[in-house]
Amino acid sequence: MITHFAQLQLNTVSIQGIKQFYHDQLRLPIVYESDNEICFKPTEYFTLSFKEAAEPLSPVHFAFEIPASEFENVVEGLRETGITFLKWPDGRDIDDFGTGKNVYFRDGDGNLLEIITHTYVKEGILSPGGELKILYLREIGFPVDSVIDFRELLVDIFNFKLDKVFDDFTFAISGTAHAVIASKKRKWIPIAMTALPPKMNVSFGASSSGFIEMVKTNLTAKGIHYDENNEKGQLHFSINDYSFRLGLTDFPEEVPALLNL
Ligand SMILES: [Fe+2]
């Protein structure tokens, strides 16, 4: 199975701007830095990296899950560092959606970040990372022309489960990873932000080599070309202009169930 998002690699127009936001303000630890690339490790199992690219950017939406017991503290801490939360049309910036709470804000490239918590997610299973107390990267947004076609591919190729199934929106879920599949015509909440497909590399963790073999078979059946990096034991392929990697991970396979997901 796919256990989690292992890496999200985005383009940026300024490594220094990214560093000031993600390291100086959000306090994410840096694990690699060069003139044109910077990598952060918000948790033991997830890397967020940015590469400088001289091309226009489309903002990405992604969400970090944090423990319910830490939510108020983390949000107040972010306010103190000068983060401006985005408001809903009625003026509030924290949303209580019943099973949890969330806030949204943007980085200097316009990426739409979310800090989210769910009361049903069991604490004490994963150790919260850094000052933001991040448990895992929960969501990555995938704006597409056809939500129905894209989610069917994710189900057929990776065995994703679906939730909140609408014609213009669906969660495709495996482990802690939630792919937010949204129509390009449906705007991102809470600021009605146009959902443009971003250029990004998304790496999934796989729990077994048998699963990777199954994905290879499924990709071939769909006529999707893949490359193999034997050194890293990774598959690389593209679906709808989104670039994916799939590799073996030591993220424990039982964690999602223990988290009550
Ligand atoms: Fe979200």
Side-chain angles (χ1 to χ4, degrees), residues 61-63 102 104 114 116 139 171 180 188-189:
H61 170 55
F62 55 99
N102 61 358
Y104 295 86
E114 177 183 359
I116 191 165
E139 294 178 1
F171 282 120
V180 187
W188 291 122
I189 53 174

Side-chain angles (χ1 to χ4, degrees), residues 147-160:
V147 168
I148 296 167
D149 291 351
F150 193 71
R151 75 181 173 220
E152 273 181 19
L153 279 175
L154 294 193
V155 168
D156 292 349
I157 296 168
F158 304 113
N159 210 12
F160 272 84

Side-chain angles (χ1 to χ4, degrees), residues 191-252:
I191 52 167
M193 187 174 96
T194 300
L196 298 168
K199 203 168 190 181
M200 59 184 179
N201 261 298
V202 174
S203 300
F204 291 120
S207 55
S208 69
S209 47
F211 179 82
I212 296 177
E213 288 304 314
M214 185 198 81
V215 169
K216 278 161 63 173
T217 307
N218 295 344
L219 287 168
T220 304
K222 297 276 176 196
I224 298 170
H225 172 78
Y226 61 85
D227 293 312
E228 277 184 271
N229 182 331
N230 291 327
E231 209 177 302
K232 289 186 178 171
Q234 274 189 340
L235 287 189
H236 175 218
F237 47 90
S238 292
I239 304 174
N240 279 40
D241 294 331
Y242 290 117
S243 172
F244 291 98
R245 287 193 168 79
L246 178 67
L248 267 185
T249 177
D250 53 4
F251 185 94

